[in-house]
Amino acid sequence: MGALFFTFITLLFLDFTGAVHAWFGWMAKVQLVPAILAVNLIVIAVLALLTLVFGRIYCSVICPLGVCQDIVSWTAGRVRKKRRFSFSPALSWLRWGVLALFIIALVAHVEAVKSLLEPYSAYGRIASNIFAPVYRLGNNGLAFLAERTDSYAFYPVSVWVKSGVTLGIALLTLLVVGLLAWRGGRTYCNTVCPVGTFLGFISKFSLYKPVLDPRKCTKCSQCSRVCKASCIDYKNYAIDHSRCVACMNCLDKCKFDALHYTTRRPAKAAAEPAGNDVPVAEATDGGGMSRRGFLAVAGLFAAANSVKGQAPDIVDGGLAVIEDKKIPDRETAVVPPGSQGARHMKVHCTACQLCVSACPNDILRPSSKLSTFMQPEMAFEKGFCRPECTRCSEVCPDGAIRRITPAEKSSIQIGRAVWIKENCVVNVNGDTCTACQRNCPTGAIALVPRAEGDELRVPVVDTETCIGCGACEYVCPARPLSAIYVEGITRHRTI
Protein backbone atom coordinates (compact mmCIF):
# COMPACT_ATOMS: atom_id res chain seq x y z
CA MET A 1 0.00 0.00 0.00
CA GLY A 2 2.80 2.39 0.89
CA ALA A 3 4.49 1.63 -2.43
CA LEU A 4 1.30 2.59 -4.32
CA PHE A 5 0.98 5.90 -2.46
CA PHE A 6 4.67 6.65 -2.97
CA THR A 7 4.56 5.82 -6.69
CA PHE A 8 1.54 7.93 -7.53
CA ILE A 9 2.50 10.89 -5.32
CA THR A 10 5.90 10.90 -7.03
CA LEU A 11 4.18 10.80 -10.43
CA LEU A 12 2.19 13.90 -9.44
CA PHE A 13 5.49 15.81 -9.43
CA LEU A 14 6.88 14.12 -12.54
CA ASP A 15 3.86 14.16 -14.86
CA PHE A 16 3.71 17.16 -17.19
CA THR A 17 0.50 16.18 -18.99
CA GLY A 18 -1.93 16.52 -16.07
CA ALA A 19 -3.25 13.00 -16.57
CA VAL A 20 -1.96 11.53 -13.30
CA HIS A 21 -3.36 14.35 -11.21
CA ALA A 22 -6.82 13.85 -12.63
CA TRP A 23 -6.82 10.41 -11.02
CA PHE A 24 -4.56 10.72 -7.99
CA GLY A 25 -4.48 14.40 -7.07
CA TRP A 26 -6.41 13.56 -3.91
CA MET A 27 -3.30 11.83 -2.52
CA ALA A 28 -1.65 15.22 -2.07
CA LYS A 29 -4.72 16.61 -0.35
CA VAL A 30 -4.76 13.87 2.34
CA GLN A 31 -1.32 14.86 3.68
CA LEU A 32 -1.68 16.08 7.27
CA VAL A 33 -0.10 19.56 7.28
CA PRO A 34 -1.58 20.62 3.91
CA ALA A 35 -4.98 19.48 5.19
CA ILE A 36 -4.52 21.56 8.37
CA LEU A 37 -3.53 24.67 6.40
CA ALA A 38 -6.45 24.13 4.01
CA VAL A 39 -8.75 23.70 7.04
CA ASN A 40 -9.94 20.41 5.54
CA LEU A 41 -11.74 19.15 8.63
CA ILE A 42 -12.85 15.89 7.02
CA VAL A 43 -9.29 14.83 6.14
CA ILE A 44 -7.98 15.91 9.54
CA ALA A 45 -10.70 13.94 11.34
CA VAL A 46 -10.14 10.83 9.20
CA LEU A 47 -6.37 10.88 9.78
CA ALA A 48 -6.81 11.41 13.52
CA LEU A 49 -9.35 8.56 13.72
CA LEU A 50 -7.11 6.32 11.64
CA THR A 51 -4.25 6.94 14.06
CA LEU A 52 -6.43 6.40 17.13
CA VAL A 53 -7.54 3.03 15.80
CA PHE A 54 -4.49 1.63 13.99
CA GLY A 55 -1.50 3.72 15.11
CA ARG A 56 0.92 5.57 12.86
CA ILE A 57 -0.04 3.97 9.56
CA TYR A 58 -0.07 7.49 8.09
CA CYS A 59 3.73 7.52 8.44
CA SER A 60 4.05 4.00 7.07
CA VAL A 61 1.66 4.29 4.11
CA ILE A 62 0.57 7.84 3.24
CA CYS A 63 3.65 10.00 3.89
CA PRO A 64 5.97 9.86 0.83
CA LEU A 65 9.05 10.88 2.81
CA GLY A 66 8.46 7.99 5.20
CA VAL A 67 8.17 5.47 2.37
CA CYS A 68 11.26 7.00 0.75
CA GLN A 69 13.19 6.17 3.93
CA ASP A 70 11.90 2.60 3.78
CA ILE A 71 13.18 2.24 0.21
CA VAL A 72 16.63 3.49 1.20
CA SER A 73 16.67 1.26 4.29
CA TRP A 74 15.55 -1.79 2.27
CA THR A 75 18.33 -1.13 -0.24
CA ALA A 76 20.87 -0.83 2.58
CA GLY A 77 19.74 -4.18 3.93
CA ARG A 78 20.36 -5.82 0.57
CA VAL A 79 23.79 -4.22 0.19
CA ARG A 80 25.09 -4.68 3.72
CA LYS A 81 23.63 -8.17 4.11
CA LYS A 82 22.93 -7.84 7.81
CA ARG A 83 20.29 -6.57 10.17
CA ARG A 84 21.16 -3.07 11.30
CA PHE A 85 18.38 -2.28 13.76
CA SER A 86 18.33 -2.47 17.54
CA PHE A 87 16.39 -0.79 20.29
CA SER A 88 17.42 2.78 21.12
CA PRO A 89 15.84 5.07 23.72
CA ALA A 90 13.70 7.91 22.41
CA LEU A 91 15.26 11.38 22.17
CA SER A 92 12.18 13.03 23.61
CA TRP A 93 13.81 16.42 24.10
CA LEU A 94 14.69 16.61 20.40
CA ARG A 95 11.33 15.33 19.19
CA TRP A 96 9.26 17.73 21.26
CA GLY A 97 11.67 20.59 20.68
CA VAL A 98 11.34 20.29 16.89
CA LEU A 99 7.56 20.00 17.17
CA ALA A 100 7.41 23.15 19.31
CA LEU A 101 9.62 24.97 16.81
CA PHE A 102 7.38 23.84 13.94
CA ILE A 103 4.20 25.01 15.69
CA ILE A 104 5.78 28.39 16.43
CA ALA A 105 6.81 28.69 12.78
CA LEU A 106 3.25 27.88 11.67
CA VAL A 107 1.71 30.48 13.97
CA ALA A 108 4.33 33.15 13.30
CA HIS A 109 4.48 32.40 9.54
CA VAL A 110 8.22 31.78 9.53
CA GLU A 111 8.25 30.25 6.07
CA ALA A 112 11.81 28.96 5.99
CA VAL A 113 11.34 26.83 9.12
CA LYS A 114 7.84 25.68 8.21
CA SER A 115 8.83 24.62 4.71
CA LEU A 116 12.01 22.83 5.74
CA LEU A 117 10.40 20.72 8.48
CA GLU A 118 7.12 19.72 6.79
CA PRO A 119 7.73 16.14 5.50
CA TYR A 120 5.40 16.10 2.47
CA SER A 121 6.84 19.38 1.19
CA ALA A 122 10.39 18.16 1.81
CA TYR A 123 9.74 15.16 -0.40
CA GLY A 124 7.92 17.33 -2.95
CA ARG A 125 11.05 19.44 -3.41
CA ILE A 126 13.13 16.29 -3.85
CA ALA A 127 10.76 14.94 -6.49
CA SER A 128 10.31 18.28 -8.25
CA ASN A 129 13.94 19.39 -8.35
CA ILE A 130 15.85 16.08 -8.57
CA PHE A 131 13.59 13.35 -9.94
CA ALA A 132 11.53 15.46 -12.37
CA PRO A 133 14.49 16.71 -14.49
CA VAL A 134 15.76 13.13 -14.85
CA TYR A 135 12.26 11.98 -15.81
CA ARG A 136 11.94 14.74 -18.40
CA LEU A 137 15.36 14.00 -19.86
CA GLY A 138 14.27 10.38 -20.27
CA ASN A 139 11.08 11.56 -21.99
CA ASN A 140 13.10 13.76 -24.34
CA GLY A 141 15.32 10.80 -25.19
CA LEU A 142 12.25 8.76 -26.11
CA ALA A 143 10.91 11.71 -28.12
CA PHE A 144 14.19 11.87 -30.04
CA LEU A 145 14.03 8.16 -30.86
CA ALA A 146 10.32 8.34 -31.73
CA GLU A 147 10.92 11.22 -34.12
CA ARG A 148 13.44 9.11 -36.02
CA THR A 149 10.71 6.52 -36.63
CA ASP A 150 8.09 9.12 -37.63
CA SER A 151 6.21 8.57 -34.38
CA TYR A 152 4.64 11.27 -32.22
CA ALA A 153 3.96 9.12 -29.16
CA PHE A 154 6.32 11.42 -27.21
CA TYR A 155 7.13 15.09 -27.46
CA PRO A 156 10.11 17.02 -26.02
CA VAL A 157 9.66 19.26 -22.99
CA SER A 158 11.89 21.90 -21.45
CA VAL A 159 14.37 20.91 -18.74
CA TRP A 160 15.94 23.67 -16.66
CA VAL A 161 16.84 24.53 -13.07
CA LYS A 162 14.13 26.81 -11.73
CA SER A 163 15.98 27.67 -8.51
CA GLY A 164 19.54 26.80 -7.60
CA VAL A 165 18.85 27.44 -3.90
CA THR A 166 15.85 25.11 -3.84
CA LEU A 167 17.78 22.46 -5.75
CA GLY A 168 20.57 22.67 -3.18
CA ILE A 169 18.11 22.31 -0.29
CA ALA A 170 16.46 19.34 -1.99
CA LEU A 171 19.84 17.64 -2.45
CA LEU A 172 20.80 18.32 1.17
CA THR A 173 17.45 16.98 2.43
CA LEU A 174 17.82 13.83 0.36
CA LEU A 175 21.38 13.36 1.61
CA VAL A 176 20.51 13.79 5.31
CA VAL A 177 17.34 11.70 5.23
CA GLY A 178 19.02 9.08 3.04
CA LEU A 179 22.04 8.70 5.32
CA LEU A 180 19.87 8.40 8.42
CA ALA A 181 17.67 5.81 6.70
CA TRP A 182 20.72 3.89 5.43
CA ARG A 183 22.13 3.64 8.94
CA GLY A 184 19.03 3.37 11.10
CA GLY A 185 15.76 3.11 9.14
CA ARG A 186 13.15 5.56 10.41
CA THR A 187 15.58 7.69 12.44
CA TYR A 188 14.44 10.92 10.79
CA CYS A 189 10.77 10.06 11.35
CA ASN A 190 11.25 9.40 15.06
CA THR A 191 13.71 12.12 16.01
CA VAL A 192 13.16 15.11 13.69
CA CYS A 193 9.81 14.97 11.87
CA PRO A 194 7.20 17.10 13.71
CA VAL A 195 4.32 15.21 12.08
CA GLY A 196 5.77 11.94 13.35
CA THR A 197 5.99 13.31 16.90
CA PHE A 198 2.44 14.63 16.79
CA LEU A 199 0.97 11.40 15.44
CA GLY A 200 3.18 9.44 17.83
CA PHE A 201 1.50 11.14 20.77
CA ILE A 202 -1.93 10.16 19.41
CA SER A 203 -0.83 6.60 18.64
CA LYS A 204 0.03 6.01 22.30
CA PHE A 205 -3.74 5.81 22.81
CA SER A 206 -4.53 3.79 19.67
CA LEU A 207 -6.94 0.87 19.89
CA TYR A 208 -4.80 -1.57 17.92
CA LYS A 209 -1.04 -1.81 18.34
CA PRO A 210 1.73 -4.41 18.38
CA VAL A 211 1.87 -6.10 21.80
CA LEU A 212 4.65 -8.35 23.09
CA ASP A 213 3.56 -11.35 25.19
CA PRO A 214 6.28 -12.07 27.79
CA ARG A 215 4.90 -15.58 28.38
CA LYS A 216 5.82 -16.63 24.86
CA CYS A 217 8.83 -14.41 24.17
CA THR A 218 12.20 -16.21 24.20
CA LYS A 219 14.27 -13.03 23.89
CA CYS A 220 15.58 -14.09 20.51
CA SER A 221 15.76 -10.38 19.54
CA GLN A 222 14.50 -11.04 15.99
CA CYS A 223 11.68 -8.51 16.38
CA SER A 224 14.06 -5.80 17.51
CA ARG A 225 16.45 -6.52 14.66
CA VAL A 226 13.76 -5.94 12.02
CA CYS A 227 12.17 -2.90 13.70
CA LYS A 228 13.07 0.07 11.49
CA ALA A 229 11.66 2.41 14.17
CA SER A 230 14.07 0.98 16.80
CA CYS A 231 11.23 0.97 19.31
CA ILE A 232 11.09 -2.66 20.54
CA ASP A 233 12.85 -3.26 23.86
CA TYR A 234 12.64 -7.07 23.89
CA LYS A 235 14.70 -7.35 27.07
CA ASN A 236 11.94 -5.60 29.03
CA TYR A 237 9.08 -6.81 26.83
CA ALA A 238 8.19 -3.21 25.98
CA ILE A 239 7.32 -1.34 22.77
CA ASP A 240 7.45 2.45 22.40
CA HIS A 241 4.17 2.91 20.56
CA SER A 242 4.79 6.63 20.01
CA ARG A 243 7.60 5.66 17.61
CA CYS A 244 6.05 2.52 16.11
CA VAL A 245 4.93 3.11 12.50
CA ALA A 246 2.77 -0.04 12.32
CA CYS A 247 4.83 -1.64 9.56
CA MET A 248 4.13 -5.16 11.01
CA ASN A 249 7.64 -6.41 10.23
CA CYS A 250 8.01 -7.70 13.77
CA LEU A 251 4.81 -9.77 13.52
CA ASP A 252 6.05 -11.52 10.41
CA LYS A 253 9.45 -12.23 11.96
CA CYS A 254 8.36 -13.66 15.32
CA LYS A 255 8.43 -17.48 15.22
CA PHE A 256 7.00 -17.99 18.70
CA ASP A 257 3.66 -16.17 18.34
CA ALA A 258 4.75 -13.69 20.99
CA LEU A 259 3.75 -10.61 19.01
CA HIS A 260 0.20 -9.67 18.07
CA TYR A 261 -1.42 -6.64 16.50
CA THR A 262 -4.26 -6.31 18.97
CA THR A 263 -5.82 -4.33 21.80
CA ARG A 264 -4.08 -4.07 25.14
CA ARG A 265 -5.89 -5.09 28.27
CA PRO A 266 -4.65 -5.57 31.83
CA ALA A 267 -3.66 -9.17 32.44
CA LYS A 268 -4.94 -11.28 35.27
CA ALA A 269 -2.47 -12.94 37.59
CA ALA A 270 -0.99 -15.98 35.96
CA ALA A 271 1.61 -18.52 36.88
CA GLU A 272 5.04 -17.90 35.44
CA PRO A 273 5.96 -20.41 32.74
CA ALA A 274 8.91 -22.61 33.47
CA GLY A 275 12.22 -21.31 32.19
CA ASN A 276 11.12 -17.67 32.10
CA ASP A 277 13.24 -15.44 34.31
CA VAL A 278 10.84 -12.47 34.52
CA PRO A 279 7.33 -12.09 35.91
CA VAL A 280 4.35 -11.91 33.59
CA ALA A 281 3.80 -8.21 32.87
CA GLU A 282 0.87 -8.18 30.55
CA ALA A 283 -1.22 -10.60 28.49
CA THR A 284 -2.78 -9.97 25.12
CA ASP A 285 -6.41 -10.22 24.25
CA GLY A 286 -8.73 -9.69 21.35
CA GLY A 287 -7.16 -11.97 18.76
CA GLY A 288 -4.17 -10.66 16.83
CA MET A 289 -4.60 -9.21 13.36
CA SER A 290 -2.11 -10.52 10.82
CA ARG A 291 -0.24 -8.25 8.43
CA ARG A 292 -2.14 -9.60 5.45
CA GLY A 293 -5.42 -9.12 7.25
CA PHE A 294 -4.53 -5.54 8.11
CA LEU A 295 -3.60 -4.73 4.54
CA ALA A 296 -6.75 -6.43 3.28
CA VAL A 297 -8.85 -4.17 5.47
CA ALA A 298 -6.99 -1.14 4.10
CA GLY A 299 -7.93 -2.06 0.48
CA LEU A 300 -6.21 -1.55 -2.88
CA PHE A 301 -6.09 1.28 -5.37
CA ALA A 302 -6.52 0.99 -9.15
CA ALA A 303 -3.83 2.06 -11.62
CA ALA A 304 -4.27 5.26 -13.59
CA ASN A 305 -4.97 5.49 -17.30
CA SER A 306 -2.48 7.66 -19.11
CA VAL A 307 -3.38 10.13 -21.81
CA LYS A 308 -1.23 12.05 -24.21
CA GLY A 309 -0.66 15.71 -23.46
CA GLN A 310 -0.76 18.54 -25.93
CA ALA A 311 2.68 19.69 -27.00
CA PRO A 312 3.31 23.39 -26.40
CA ASP A 313 3.81 25.69 -29.35
CA ILE A 314 7.46 26.32 -30.20
CA VAL A 315 8.23 29.61 -31.89
CA ASP A 316 11.21 29.57 -34.26
CA GLY A 317 13.39 32.56 -33.46
CA GLY A 318 15.29 32.34 -36.75
CA LEU A 319 19.05 32.10 -37.15
CA ALA A 320 19.90 35.22 -35.17
CA VAL A 321 21.20 34.75 -31.64
CA ILE A 322 18.62 36.21 -29.26
CA GLU A 323 19.84 37.32 -25.85
CA ASP A 324 18.05 35.71 -22.93
CA LYS A 325 15.70 37.84 -20.91
CA LYS A 326 16.37 38.76 -17.32
CA ILE A 327 13.75 38.78 -14.60
CA PRO A 328 13.01 42.37 -13.52
CA ASP A 329 13.39 43.40 -9.91
CA ARG A 330 9.76 43.61 -8.81
CA GLU A 331 8.82 45.48 -5.66
CA THR A 332 5.94 43.03 -5.12
CA ALA A 333 6.12 39.44 -6.34
CA VAL A 334 3.41 38.17 -8.68
CA VAL A 335 1.64 35.15 -7.19
CA PRO A 336 -0.81 32.86 -9.03
CA PRO A 337 -4.51 33.63 -9.58
CA GLY A 338 -6.56 31.99 -6.86
CA SER A 339 -3.99 32.70 -4.15
CA GLN A 340 -5.88 35.92 -3.27
CA GLY A 341 -2.62 37.74 -2.67
CA ALA A 342 0.78 37.58 -1.04
CA ARG A 343 -0.47 37.31 2.55
CA HIS A 344 -2.82 34.38 1.90
CA MET A 345 -0.07 32.58 -0.01
CA LYS A 346 2.42 33.15 2.80
CA VAL A 347 0.08 31.81 5.49
CA HIS A 348 -1.09 28.66 3.71
CA CYS A 349 1.69 27.56 1.35
CA THR A 350 4.14 24.85 2.48
CA ALA A 351 6.40 25.20 -0.57
CA CYS A 352 5.80 21.64 -1.74
CA GLN A 353 6.55 22.70 -5.37
CA LEU A 354 3.61 20.75 -6.82
CA CYS A 355 2.26 23.82 -8.61
CA VAL A 356 5.76 24.63 -9.88
CA SER A 357 6.07 21.14 -11.34
CA ALA A 358 2.57 21.18 -12.83
CA CYS A 359 2.74 24.62 -14.50
CA PRO A 360 2.67 23.97 -18.28
CA ASN A 361 3.78 27.53 -19.07
CA ASP A 362 7.06 27.45 -17.07
CA ILE A 363 6.25 30.68 -15.25
CA LEU A 364 6.24 29.44 -11.64
CA ARG A 365 9.46 29.06 -9.72
CA PRO A 366 10.47 29.00 -6.02
CA SER A 367 11.11 32.32 -4.32
CA SER A 368 14.57 33.02 -2.92
CA LYS A 369 13.31 35.72 -0.54
CA LEU A 370 13.49 34.76 3.12
CA SER A 371 9.95 35.97 3.88
CA THR A 372 8.45 33.73 1.17
CA PHE A 373 11.23 31.15 1.03
CA MET A 374 10.67 28.53 -1.72
CA GLN A 375 7.02 29.51 -2.18
CA PRO A 376 5.90 29.94 -5.81
CA GLU A 377 6.10 33.25 -7.60
CA MET A 378 5.70 34.13 -11.26
CA ALA A 379 8.23 35.21 -13.88
CA PHE A 380 7.53 35.68 -17.58
CA GLU A 381 10.80 35.29 -19.45
CA LYS A 382 9.81 31.78 -20.65
CA GLY A 383 6.05 32.15 -21.00
CA PHE A 384 2.96 33.88 -19.65
CA CYS A 385 -0.08 32.94 -17.60
CA ARG A 386 -2.53 31.75 -20.23
CA PRO A 387 -6.14 32.72 -19.49
CA GLU A 388 -7.45 29.20 -20.10
CA CYS A 389 -4.94 27.49 -17.75
CA THR A 390 -5.91 26.81 -14.13
CA ARG A 391 -3.51 23.92 -13.45
CA CYS A 392 -1.89 25.41 -10.33
CA SER A 393 -5.26 25.93 -8.65
CA GLU A 394 -6.23 22.34 -9.45
CA VAL A 395 -3.16 20.73 -7.87
CA CYS A 396 -2.62 22.87 -4.74
CA PRO A 397 -3.22 20.63 -1.68
CA ASP A 398 -3.06 23.18 1.13
CA GLY A 399 -5.51 25.89 0.05
CA ALA A 400 -2.82 28.43 -0.77
CA ILE A 401 -4.23 28.58 -4.31
CA ARG A 402 -7.98 28.06 -4.25
CA ARG A 403 -9.55 26.32 -7.21
CA ILE A 404 -10.85 28.68 -9.89
CA THR A 405 -12.42 28.34 -13.33
CA PRO A 406 -11.03 29.90 -16.53
CA ALA A 407 -13.92 32.36 -16.46
CA GLU A 408 -13.02 33.46 -12.93
CA LYS A 409 -9.35 33.68 -13.80
CA SER A 410 -9.95 36.07 -16.70
CA SER A 411 -11.33 38.65 -14.27
CA ILE A 412 -8.75 38.29 -11.44
CA GLN A 413 -6.11 41.01 -11.34
CA ILE A 414 -2.80 39.67 -9.97
CA GLY A 415 -0.64 42.58 -11.11
CA ARG A 416 -0.36 45.57 -13.42
CA ALA A 417 1.84 46.14 -16.45
CA VAL A 418 4.41 48.93 -16.21
CA TRP A 419 6.05 50.49 -19.30
CA ILE A 420 9.73 51.53 -19.17
CA LYS A 421 10.24 53.97 -21.98
CA GLU A 422 14.07 53.79 -21.80
CA ASN A 423 13.95 50.08 -22.75
CA CYS A 424 11.34 50.26 -25.52
CA VAL A 425 12.67 49.49 -29.02
CA VAL A 426 10.51 52.31 -30.38
CA ASN A 427 12.60 54.79 -28.41
CA VAL A 428 15.92 52.95 -28.54
CA ASN A 429 15.99 51.98 -32.24
CA GLY A 430 13.19 54.04 -33.73
CA ASP A 431 11.44 50.85 -34.87
CA THR A 432 7.72 50.25 -35.07
CA CYS A 433 6.57 47.64 -32.52
CA THR A 434 3.07 46.54 -31.61
CA ALA A 435 3.90 43.26 -29.84
CA CYS A 436 2.51 44.12 -26.42
CA GLN A 437 -0.72 45.63 -27.77
CA ARG A 438 -1.39 42.74 -30.16
CA ASN A 439 -0.89 40.05 -27.53
CA CYS A 440 -2.76 41.58 -24.58
CA PRO A 441 -5.74 39.24 -23.92
CA THR A 442 -7.80 41.90 -22.14
CA GLY A 443 -7.11 44.82 -24.48
CA ALA A 444 -5.57 46.80 -21.63
CA ILE A 445 -2.75 48.16 -23.81
CA ALA A 446 -3.33 50.88 -26.38
CA LEU A 447 -0.79 52.52 -28.69
CA VAL A 448 -0.61 56.31 -28.84
CA PRO A 449 1.69 58.66 -30.83
CA ARG A 450 5.04 59.15 -29.14
CA ALA A 451 4.67 62.87 -29.72
CA GLU A 452 2.29 65.12 -31.58
CA GLY A 453 2.62 64.42 -35.28
CA ASP A 454 4.97 61.46 -34.68
CA GLU A 455 4.17 58.30 -36.66
CA LEU A 456 5.80 56.04 -34.08
CA ARG A 457 3.52 54.81 -31.34
CA VAL A 458 4.23 53.72 -27.78
CA PRO A 459 2.08 51.69 -25.35
CA VAL A 460 -0.21 53.06 -22.67
CA VAL A 461 -1.55 50.66 -20.02
CA ASP A 462 -5.08 50.79 -18.64
CA THR A 463 -4.36 49.60 -15.08
CA GLU A 464 -8.07 49.00 -14.41
CA THR A 465 -8.42 46.30 -17.07
CA CYS A 466 -4.91 44.81 -16.93
CA ILE A 467 -4.94 41.45 -15.10
CA GLY A 468 -1.15 40.98 -14.92
CA CYS A 469 -0.97 37.84 -17.07
CA GLY A 470 2.52 38.71 -18.31
CA ALA A 471 1.83 38.27 -22.04
CA CYS A 472 3.20 41.73 -22.81
CA GLU A 473 6.37 41.10 -20.80
CA TYR A 474 6.91 37.73 -22.47
CA VAL A 475 6.53 38.93 -26.10
CA CYS A 476 8.41 42.21 -25.67
CA PRO A 477 11.46 42.08 -27.98
CA ALA A 478 13.61 44.33 -25.75
CA ARG A 479 16.65 42.60 -24.24
CA PRO A 480 17.88 41.82 -21.63
CA LEU A 481 15.07 43.55 -19.72
CA SER A 482 11.60 43.91 -21.21
CA ALA A 483 10.35 47.40 -21.86
CA ILE A 484 7.08 46.41 -20.22
CA TYR A 485 6.83 44.20 -17.16
CA VAL A 486 4.28 43.14 -14.55
CA GLU A 487 4.41 44.52 -11.04
CA GLY A 488 2.53 42.41 -8.50
CA ILE A 489 -0.16 43.68 -6.19
CA THR A 490 -0.45 42.78 -2.51
CA ARG A 491 -4.08 41.74 -2.67
CA HIS A 492 -5.77 40.38 -5.78
CA ARG A 493 -9.05 41.87 -6.91
CA THR A 494 -11.81 41.11 -9.40
CA ILE A 495 -12.14 43.55 -12.27
Side-chain angles (χ1 to χ4, degrees), residues 323-328 381 423 476-483:
E323 184 179 3
D324 291 336
K325 281 191 176 184
K326 294 182 179 179
I327 301 176
E381 79 279 9
N423 295 345
C476 179
R479 295 293 190 278
L481 293 173
S482 295

Side-chain angles (χ1 to χ4, degrees), residues 471-493:
C472 55
E473 181 178 335
Y474 172 60
V475 301
C476 179
R479 295 293 190 278
L481 293 173
S482 295
I484 189 167
Y485 77 99
V486 178
E487 184 66 47
I489 57 178
T490 303
R491 186 172 183 176
H492 297 175
R493 70 186 189 94

Side-chain angles (χ1 to χ4, degrees), residues 12 15-24 155 307 309 358 391 394-395:
L12 291 179
D15 178 53
F16 47 83
T17 66
V20 175
H21 198 278
W23 287 86
F24 297 102
Y155 60 88
V307 298
R391 185 76 65 80
E394 296 168 0
V395 303

Side-chain angles (χ1 to χ4, degrees), residues 226 247 286 331:
V226 299
C247 66
E331 293 183 8

Side-chain angles (χ1 to χ4, degrees), residues 143-347:
F144 176 81
L145 295 176
E147 184 180 355
R148 297 301 179 272
T149 60
D150 295 327
S151 172
Y152 297 93
F154 301 91
Y155 60 88
V157 293
S158 60
V159 182
W160 54 291
V161 177
K162 297 179 180 179
S163 171
V165 174
T166 304
L167 174 61
I169 290 176
L171 287 169
L172 181 61
T173 303
L174 182 60
L175 178 64
V176 171
V177 174
L179 285 176
L180 290 175
W182 186 273
R183 293 174 58 87
R186 288 294 188 106
T187 303
Y188 182 87
C189 273
N190 289 331
T191 56
V192 179
C193 180
V195 173
T197 301
F198 173 71
L199 293 178
F201 173 76
I202 298 177
S203 67
K204 293 173 66 174
F205 309 100
S206 62
L207 178 62
Y208 282 93
K209 58 188 70 176
V211 178
L212 186 59
D213 188 346
R215 297 173 302 181
K216 297 180 179 180
C217 179
T218 62
K219 292 188 177 180
C220 69
S221 78
Q222 290 299 313
C223 57
S224 180
R225 292 168 63 183
V226 299
C227 178
K228 57 193 176 187
S230 301
C231 66
I232 301 180
D233 182 7
Y234 71 93
K235 295 181 180 179
N236 297 310
Y237 308 106
I239 299 176
D240 184 354
H241 295 103
S242 70
R243 291 187 291 160
C244 175
V245 294
C247 66
M248 312 303 170
N249 290 343
C250 56
L251 272 66
D252 289 348
K253 194 67 176 179
C254 183
K255 300 178 181 179
F256 304 99
D257 196 33
L259 275 164
H260 300 89
Y261 187 66
T262 182
T263 58
R264 295 182 63 184
R265 296 181 182 177
K268 296 181 179 180
E272 179 183 341
N276 225 347
D277 58 353
V278 295
V280 177
E282 187 175 274
T284 60
D285 189 18
M289 181 184 294
S290 67
R291 186 178 186 181
R292 291 187 181 90
F294 172 73
L295 294 177
V297 171
L300 296 174
F301 292 94
N305 294 324
S306 61
V307 298
K308 296 179 181 179
Q310 178 68 33
D313 294 334
I314 300 177
V315 180
D316 186 1
L319 298 178
V321 177
I322 301 177
E323 184 179 3
D324 291 336
K325 281 191 176 184
K326 294 182 179 179
I327 301 176
D329 185 15
R330 310 179 207 273
E331 293 183 8
T332 304
V334 186
V335 292
S339 64
Q340 301 178 35
R343 176 172 174 77
H344 184 269
M345 173 68 75
K346 182 178 180 180
V347 171

Side-chain angles (χ1 to χ4, degrees), residues 295-435:
L295 294 177
V297 171
L300 296 174
F301 292 94
N305 294 324
S306 61
V307 298
K308 296 179 181 179
Q310 178 68 33
D313 294 334
I314 300 177
V315 180
D316 186 1
L319 298 178
V321 177
I322 301 177
E323 184 179 3
D324 291 336
K325 281 191 176 184
K326 294 182 179 179
I327 301 176
D329 185 15
R330 310 179 207 273
E331 293 183 8
T332 304
V334 186
V335 292
S339 64
Q340 301 178 35
R343 176 172 174 77
H344 184 269
M345 173 68 75
K346 182 178 180 180
V347 171
H348 292 273
C349 180
T350 61
C352 72
Q353 313 290 299
L354 186 54
C355 60
V356 176
S357 296
C359 179
N361 305 310
D362 286 335
I363 61 173
L364 289 179
R365 66 280 321 273
S367 170
S368 58
K369 299 177 182 177
L370 190 60
S371 60
T372 57
F373 194 50
M374 296 188 295
Q375 293 184 350
E377 61 182 27
M378 304 174 83
F380 306 107
E381 79 279 9
K382 291 182 178 293
F384 68 98
C385 194
R386 298 179 180 272
E388 72 278 3
C389 177
T390 58
R391 185 76 65 80
C392 59
S393 75
E394 296 168 0
V395 303
C396 181
D398 48 32
I401 309 174
R402 69 177 183 86
R403 187 154 188 168
I404 57 175
T405 65
E408 290 175 320
K409 178 181 177 180
S410 63
S411 62
I412 296 176
Q413 186 180 63
I414 61 175
R416 299 184 181 95
V418 179
W419 178 58
I420 308 298
K421 65 179 182 180
E422 293 82 4
N423 295 345
C424 187
V425 295
V426 176
N427 293 327
V428 174
N429 301 327
D431 296 330
T432 299
C433 179
T434 62

